[in-house]
Amino acid sequence: MKPRAIRGMNDILPDVSATWQHLESVITDVVQSYGYSEIRLPLLEQTELFARSIGEVTDIVEKEMYTFQDRNGESLTLRPEATAGVVRAGISNGLLHNQRQKLWTMGPMFRYEKPQKGRYRQFYQFDVEALGFEGPDVDAELIIMCARMWRALGISRIELEVNSLGTADARDRYRETLVEYFSGVKSQLDEDSIRRLEQNPLRILDSKNPEMRTVVAAAPVMLDFLDEESAEHFQSLKGLLDAAGISYKVNPRLVRGLDYYSRTVFEWVTDALGAQGAVCSGGRYDGLVEKLGGRPTPAVGWAMGIERFVALFEVCGGKAPASDADVYVVAVGHGTLERAFSIVEELRDRIDGVRVEMNLGGGSFKSQMKRADKSNAEYALILGEQELADGRIGLKPLRSVEDQSSIAFDELAEKLAKLVGKA
Ligand code: ATP
Ligand code: MG
């Protein structure tokens, strides 16, 4: 029996990983250019951390976590998202005492969801968090940063939705009205929503059930309940986005799935990927650090789903730069392999970024040339016994009809650098 992969957990194969690497390097460069630094975190945390931060009455905590007992009986969970771990690390390492932090991290997240296009059980996120900043300037910066990434990658079919959830007090007042409203239309609610009516009515607004759309659309909106300071915060954020030329839509029904958000929430959505349209989601979570045992610390961040980001990049016509070899080295005859190895090491030393592929496993001239052709390399370098004796090497263009030429060993690096555009 062949081994099989776990459902909803994908292998990222070499033909696809080139695109992933490209996107990851572009977004890393962008966030670093705004002064964000990388933090690398464990994939496992105590279950309690996620239950407390994400909220007991959420899809994630109710039914999506990969939770198991460690050998010593402790309950551990594979991280379903990154924010809780970032905040935990900030507290446990004392990073938040009289300091502000701008952090990014990247890696796999785990949720036991129903696998489908754009929704997996192991998926990857790029995550950015700013801790210790009140905003709304940093809220705007985080959004402007996303817009720069889209531009850098030629991504067009994406729109920004923003909303404000106010403070916890303001949400309490809103919650009462919401419970009143949903109780009045209880017969139209699905099972999940009826359960949430008692515990977390805001989450009903985030329902993915299409049959709930009409009731949700007619519900009272949080924006009418905003406290004065949050209203001002939101107003300033919109002003900063306007000034930066970022277009957005205020979506008063945007609440985000997790409990910990306050004030600013936003989502970059696309219509190009079918049902799974949320590419990058974020918001402010001013109460979370304190809730997890740190000093009160305002914070805001976003998380981007890399699979959806890759898919959108491709829909928009994006392609990773080719990663084929520049040259393929063919060596036939006594003593040629040893010399070829020293030549290619020198090429790698002297030509920055050159991609050289050695023919491995020997073979006749003909079979080596076949592999050279298949490698998609631009040139073959050919070393036979005669060339070795003459101190020269053959250079054959593989993608044009030009003739083979012969180059002295000591001129090779310079000539090749020019030919492959890496001089
Ligand atoms: P959705 O509404 O699609 O369920 P979410 O609100 O659960 O998303 P977040 O928890 O905010 O998503 O995660 C941030 C981003 O991670 C999402 O915008 C999305 O791009 C991506 N994402 C979330 N869950 C998955 C998943 N199961 N598979 C692939 N990507 C995901
Ligand atoms: Mg979800």
Side-chain angles (χ1 to χ4, degrees):
M1 232 183 27
K2 280 192 212 161
R4 58 172 181 84
I6 295 169
R7 208 162 105 80
M9 303 200 177
N10 301 312
D11 303 309
I12 316 294
L13 301 178
D15 58 329
V16 179
S17 68
T19 305
W20 282 56
Q21 284 186 358
H22 175 58
L23 299 196
E24 286 168 3
S25 96
V26 170
I27 55 187
T28 305
D29 286 351
V30 169
V31 302
Q32 304 234 133
S33 79
Y34 284 75
Y36 288 74
S37 311
E38 185 181 16
I39 182 167
R40 297 191 187 193
L41 300 166
L43 302 190
L44 284 171
E45 298 279 356
Q46 291 180 317
T47 303
E48 170 68 11
L49 176 74
F50 299 118
R52 252 166 66 199
S53 60
I54 295 168
E56 298 279 358
V57 194
T58 55
D59 283 346
I60 292 181
V61 174
E62 279 178 336
K63 51 192 183 198
E64 294 176 1
M65 293 204 302
Y66 279 92
T67 296
F68 65 96
Q69 299 250 310
D70 197 358
R71 289 182 186 277
N72 63 9
E74 190 177 16
S75 179
L76 303 182
T77 293
L78 276 166
R79 63 182 186 191
E81 54 96 49
T83 306
V86 171
V87 170
R88 197 272 309 138
I91 297 171
S92 22
N93 296 289
L95 303 180
L96 307 175
H97 290 171
N98 306 317
Q99 297 173 63
R100 308 195 291 183
Q101 299 290 344
K102 296 199 289 181
L103 305 169
W104 67 267
T105 192
M106 174 166 66
M109 307 295 155
F110 303 85
R111 297 184 194 175
Y112 192 81
E113 300 204 67
K114 190 163 162 250
Q116 54 198 284
K117 185 171 169 268
R119 193 175 291 287
Y120 310 104
R121 289 183 174 171
Q122 173 170 337
F123 62 100
Y124 291 76
Q125 280 185 349
F126 192 95
D127 187 82
V128 178
E129 312 287 352
L131 299 128
F133 300 83
E134 293 264 7
D137 48 3
V138 71
D139 310 41
E141 182 183 76
L142 283 166
I143 290 172
I144 291 168
M145 200 155 83
C146 292
R148 174 169 294 278
M149 294 180 332
W150 314 143
R151 275 199 310 278
L153 290 160
I155 287 174
S156 52
R157 289 171 68 180
I158 193 157
E159 281 173 6
L160 174 65
E161 296 186 355
V162 294
N163 192 22
S164 176
L165 301 178
T167 57
D169 284 347
R171 267 199 313 283
D172 282 345
R173 280 184 280 125
Y174 173 53
R175 186 174 294 126
E176 279 170 33
T177 314
L178 208 55
V179 170
E180 215 169 283
Y181 166 77
F182 281 124
S183 302
V185 292
K186 200 165 172 179
S187 59
Q188 297 172 58
L189 300 185
D190 62 12
E191 211 177 294
D192 273 347
S193 301
I194 290 174
R195 201 159 30 85
R196 285 184 178 141
L197 188 53
E198 303 299 323
Q199 296 157 308
N200 191 349
L202 256 77
R203 292 293 327 285
I204 301 178
L205 301 175
D206 200 27
S207 168
K208 298 249 154 50
N209 183 353
E211 283 165 26
M212 292 280 300
R213 215 164 276 159
T214 326
V215 232
V216 166
V221 296
M222 178 64 217
L223 284 180
D224 294 334
F225 290 79
L226 280 192
D227 53 290
E228 204 174 310
E229 276 184 38
S230 296
E232 263 170 40
H233 194 277
F234 192 43
Q235 201 55 39
S236 316
L237 169 64
K238 289 187 291 181
L240 288 168
L241 293 178
D242 290 334
I246 308 258
S247 45
Y248 57 86
K249 190 176 97 186
V250 174
N251 175 358
R253 267 162 255 285
L254 182 64
V255 291
R256 312 283 307 105
L258 319 180
D259 269 3
Y260 52 58
Y261 287 102
S262 55
R263 292 197 169 157
T264 311
V265 285
F266 61 88
E267 200 153 82
W268 290 92
V269 290
T270 178
D271 63 0
L273 299 179
Q276 267 46 263
V279 177
C280 176
S281 324
R284 181 161 278 287
Y285 48 96
D286 290 340
L288 184 62
V289 177
E290 189 180 14
K291 190 171 177 194
L292 293 180
R295 295 186 202 164
T297 306
V300 56
W302 53 249
M304 178 157 62
I306 300 185
E307 287 84 353
R308 295 184 196 177
F309 183 46
V310 167
L312 181 59
F313 173 69
E314 285 171 346
V315 168
C316 293
K319 273 209 164 48
S323 57
D324 297 325
D326 297 307
V327 287
Y328 189 99
V329 181
V330 167
V332 190
H334 186 70
T336 57
L337 187 60
E338 291 79 355
R339 189 68 180 104
F341 264 119
S342 72
I343 291 173
V344 298
E345 286 309 315
E346 192 191 332
L347 292 179
R348 292 191 183 104
D349 284 342
R350 291 188 47 193
I351 311 177
D352 207 24
V354 75
R355 283 181 293 234
V356 187
E357 197 177 334
M358 269 290 276
N359 178 76
L360 300 174
S364 66
F365 175 73
K366 201 172 154 202
S367 70
Q368 293 195 31
M369 284 306 287
K370 241 190 208 161
R371 286 196 202 122
D373 195 49
K374 231 175 128 187
S375 77
N376 284 330
E378 207 60 39
Y379 297 93
L381 283 176
I382 301 163
L383 190 64
E385 286 176 13
Q386 188 58 52
E387 283 87 356
L388 188 61
D390 298 344
R392 304 179 75 84
I393 195 161
L395 178 103
K396 184 171 170 50
L398 295 170
R399 313 292 149 201
S400 68
V401 291
E402 284 164 69
D403 287 338
Q404 182 171 329
S405 56
S406 166
I407 302 174
F409 287 159
D410 54 4
E411 289 169 10
L412 179 62
E414 203 177 321
K415 286 209 169 142
L416 195 64
K418 285 201 190 105
L419 282 173
V420 301
K422 285 166 184 162

